[in-house]
């Protein structure tokens, strides 16, 4: 018998709900991935590079053209300068970047602050390296950060604060003032901050994304993570990236080189070509806002109470008017009986806090959303 390093962890809720959806032939609004295809132009670039002998190891830091373009993108959008040689690395998905930041920083008994509901990767990874999570619960239903509580929770053991903005699963985004508060905290303490910004280009109603890359004064304490899976509708390619100041990146690379060494080569070349055209990502806001509005409009005639959604391609809803089942049972019932799979939000709390809320992914064809709404109207 293996002595488990993660005795309390079971299969992730994304796999569980996707499998349940398949078993019951339900519409999968659970796991976050688009059901429409990526731009054929991008697929053509991938085919091109894999048929032209771009099939050997990429550099450990990633394909140069891709890093140069990322450097230009951050300079242009946020006036923040990341040197493509020493401060940018391509990773095998944002997941690997996050895992690797935690492996780089966390020693046994270090404390890591997370905000719950939190993306499910953070806690087990911290624990794998002997760290301890210090969860701060965002207050339901507005899910905003109480900075007084945050300051109280920071101790001399706090090594890292993980912030996901735009936030999965709550759909909330940080305001400029929130970033200022984080900036002051980083100035006053010895903590590092991991900014998970995979939904950077999915914000709504004209609200801008305030990237942690804007905080130039504390750049030496911040790791920024992004995902091309979210940016270009290619979650299965698993290509992400990390930006961090030179000294941080030096340590990050020590772990990264033995964790995976490098990342799928032809995908990096294809993405680099596609990234040359900013319209490929600057139009995401409008594209997903149309889907969000369509889905919210359809939910109005159901008994679900929809929570605000300022960003990401997820929207949450309270089902207390429909059922008093715990959220995981309700999500199971919804999948089996009404053929719509969702994610129960308690999965994102260390103590399985249950507010009777489930998460829908609306990164789907209008036709899929319409069919799902049809079923949800009968609940
Ligand atoms: N962070 C968040 C908040 C996510 O929702 C996801 C899922 N895409 C990831 C990280 C992981 O991204 P990737 O698929 O690029 O590993
Ligand atoms: N990020 C996606 C979500 O939140 C799922 C990624 C995964 O399946 N691990 O649904």
């Amino acid at each position: 018998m293996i002595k488990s390093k993660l005795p309390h962890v079971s299969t992730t809720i994304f796999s569980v709900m996707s499998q349940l959806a398949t078993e019951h032939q339900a519409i999968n609004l659970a796991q976050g991935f688009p059901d429409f295809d990526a731009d054929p132009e991008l697929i053509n670039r991938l085919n091109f590079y894999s048929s032209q002998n771009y099939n050997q190891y990429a550099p450990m830091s990633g394909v140069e053209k891709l890093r140069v373009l990322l450097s230009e993108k951050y300079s242009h959008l946020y006036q923040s300068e990341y040197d493509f040689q020493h401060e940018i690395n391509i990773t095998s998905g944002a997941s690997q970047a996050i895992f690797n930041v935690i492996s780089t920083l966390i020693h046994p008994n270090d404390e890591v602050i997370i905000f719950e509901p939190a993306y499910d990767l953070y806690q087990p990874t911290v624990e794998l390296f002997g760290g301890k999570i210090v969860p701060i619960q965002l207050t339901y239903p507005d899910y905003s950060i109480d900075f007084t509580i945050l300051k109280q929770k920071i101790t001399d053991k706090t090594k890292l604060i993980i912030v996901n903005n735009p936030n999965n699963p709550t759909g909330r985004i940080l305001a400029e003032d929130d970033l200022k508060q984080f900036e002051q905290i980083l100035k006053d303490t010895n903590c590092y901050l991991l900014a998970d910004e995979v939904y950077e280009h999915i914000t709504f109603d004209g609200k801008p994304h305030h990237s942690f890359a804007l905080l130039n004064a504390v750049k030496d304490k911040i790791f920024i993570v992004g995902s091309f899976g979210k940016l270009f509708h290619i979650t299965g390619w698993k290509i992400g990236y990390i930006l961090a100041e030179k000294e941080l990146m030096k340590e990050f690379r020590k772990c990264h080189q033995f964790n995976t060494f490098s990342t799928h080569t032809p995908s990096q070349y294809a993405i680099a070509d596609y990234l040359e055209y900013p319209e490929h990502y600057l139009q995401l806001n409008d594209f997903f806002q149309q889907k969000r509005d369509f889905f919210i409009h359809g939910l109005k005639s159901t008994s679900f109470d929809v929570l605000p959604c300022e960003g990401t391609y997820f929207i949450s809803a309270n089902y207390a008017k429909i059922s008093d089942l715990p959220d995981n049972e309700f999500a199971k019932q919804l999948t089996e009986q009404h053929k719509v799979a969702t994610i129960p939000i308690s999965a994102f709390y260390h103590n399985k806090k249950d507010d009777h809320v489930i998460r829908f992914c609306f990164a789907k064809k209008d036709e899929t959303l319409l069919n799902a709404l049809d079923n949800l109207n009968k609940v």
Side-chain angles (χ1 to χ4, degrees), residues 79-100:
Q79 294 75 52
S80 69
E81 303 307 322
Y82 282 92
D83 168 30
F84 77 92
Q85 289 287 20
H86 304 292
E87 302 187 317
I88 299 182
N89 217 101
I90 308 305
T91 59
S92 303
S95 307
Q96 192 243 329
I98 294 165
F99 191 97
N100 210 60

Side-chain angles (χ1 to χ4, degrees), residues 12 14-15 30-33 119-120 168 199 230 314 343 348 359:
T12 110
F14 305 118
S15 302
Q31 196 176 18
F33 64 90
Y119 188 57
D120 70 343
N168 175 11
Y199 301 100
K230 303 294 166 182
F314 303 111
I343 299 287
F348 300 115
R359 187 196 81 175

Side-chain angles (χ1 to χ4, degrees), residues 42-223:
L42 177 57
I43 312 287
N44 285 342
R45 297 315 293 161
L46 178 65
N47 290 340
F48 172 78
Y49 285 111
S50 55
S51 65
Q52 296 294 313
N53 262 335
Y54 288 78
N55 296 308
Q56 308 312 326
Y57 293 125
M60 188 263 274
S61 53
V63 162
E64 183 170 310
K65 178 177 174 187
L66 186 51
R67 285 180 287 125
V68 169
L69 284 164
L70 278 171
S71 175
E72 288 170 3
K73 177 174 184 279
Y74 276 78
S75 174
H76 180 69
L77 288 180
Y78 309 116
Q79 294 75 52
S80 69
E81 303 307 322
Y82 282 92
D83 168 30
F84 77 92
Q85 289 287 20
H86 304 292
E87 302 187 317
I88 299 182
N89 217 101
I90 308 305
T91 59
S92 303
S95 307
Q96 192 243 329
I98 294 165
F99 191 97
N100 210 60
V101 169
I102 294 170
S103 76
T104 301
L105 283 179
I106 299 308
H107 292 261
N109 301 320
D110 280 347
E111 292 182 0
V112 178
I113 292 180
I114 62 171
F115 299 95
E116 290 186 331
Y119 188 57
D120 70 343
L121 163 70
Y122 309 147
Q123 176 177 351
T125 311
V126 168
E127 290 171 354
L128 265 183
F129 293 96
K132 221 182 102 197
I133 60 142
V134 176
I136 296 180
Q137 301 201 340
L138 303 171
T139 37
Y140 176 80
D142 72 315
Y143 295 124
S144 57
I145 293 177
D146 183 332
F147 283 92
T148 311
I149 296 183
L150 173 58
K151 284 174 199 158
Q152 284 164 0
K153 293 276 182 181
I154 296 177
T155 70
D156 51 7
K157 286 192 180 158
T158 311
K159 180 62 74 68
L160 178 67
I161 302 172
I162 303 181
V163 184
N164 172 215
N165 177 46
N167 189 270
N168 175 11
T170 66
R172 299 311 299 253
I173 62 176
L174 295 180
E176 197 176 353
D177 192 52
D178 296 322
L179 257 78
K180 284 202 184 115
Q181 301 248 29
F182 277 113
E183 180 173 32
Q184 198 53 50
I185 286 172
L186 291 178
K187 280 183 179 163
D188 295 344
T189 64
N190 290 320
C191 311
Y192 294 95
L193 188 139
L194 167 55
D196 176 348
E197 300 189 354
V198 300
Y199 301 100
E200 171 193 11
H201 288 289
I202 314 181
T203 60
F204 307 129
D205 306 316
K207 290 186 181 152
H209 168 63
H210 296 290
S211 171
F212 276 89
L214 292 159
L215 303 187
N216 282 311
V218 283
K219 183 185 169 192
D220 60 343
K221 296 197 164 174
I222 297 178
F223 295 85

Side-chain angles (χ1 to χ4, degrees), residues 269-377:
Y269 280 102
I271 290 170
D273 286 357
Y274 201 70
L275 195 65
E276 278 186 75
Y277 302 93
E279 62 270 27
H280 288 152
Y281 50 86
L282 294 179
Q283 55 167 2
L284 272 192
N285 299 356
D286 289 343
F287 176 77
F288 279 119
Q289 183 164 323
Q290 181 269 331
K291 294 203 176 289
R292 179 202 65 167
D293 293 347
F294 180 76
F295 194 59
I296 291 180
H297 181 76
L299 282 174
K300 282 201 175 118
S301 48
T302 68
S303 301
F304 289 96
D305 282 323
V306 176
L307 301 180
C309 169
E310 304 171 300
T312 77
Y313 46 54
F314 303 111
I315 192 158
S316 295
N318 184 297
Y319 60 84
K321 281 191 204 138
I322 301 169
S323 166
D324 51 18
L325 281 176
D327 66 356
N328 54 347
E329 285 176 39
F330 180 73
K332 191 162 179 275
Q333 189 187 76
L334 201 62
T335 311
E336 291 171 358
Q337 294 178 14
H338 298 281
K339 308 293 178 201
V340 180
T342 59
I343 299 287
I345 296 292
S346 64
F348 300 115
Y349 287 95
H350 75 288
N351 59 0
K352 305 294 165 230
K353 180 170 181 274
D354 184 354
D355 294 309
H356 287 26
V357 177
I358 54 173
R359 187 196 81 175
F360 299 93
C361 171
F362 56 81
K364 305 291 168 188
K365 296 175 196 150
D366 287 356
E367 168 199 337
T368 309
L369 295 176
L370 208 56
N371 289 337
L373 288 166
D374 226 28
N375 295 2
L376 294 171
N377 265 292

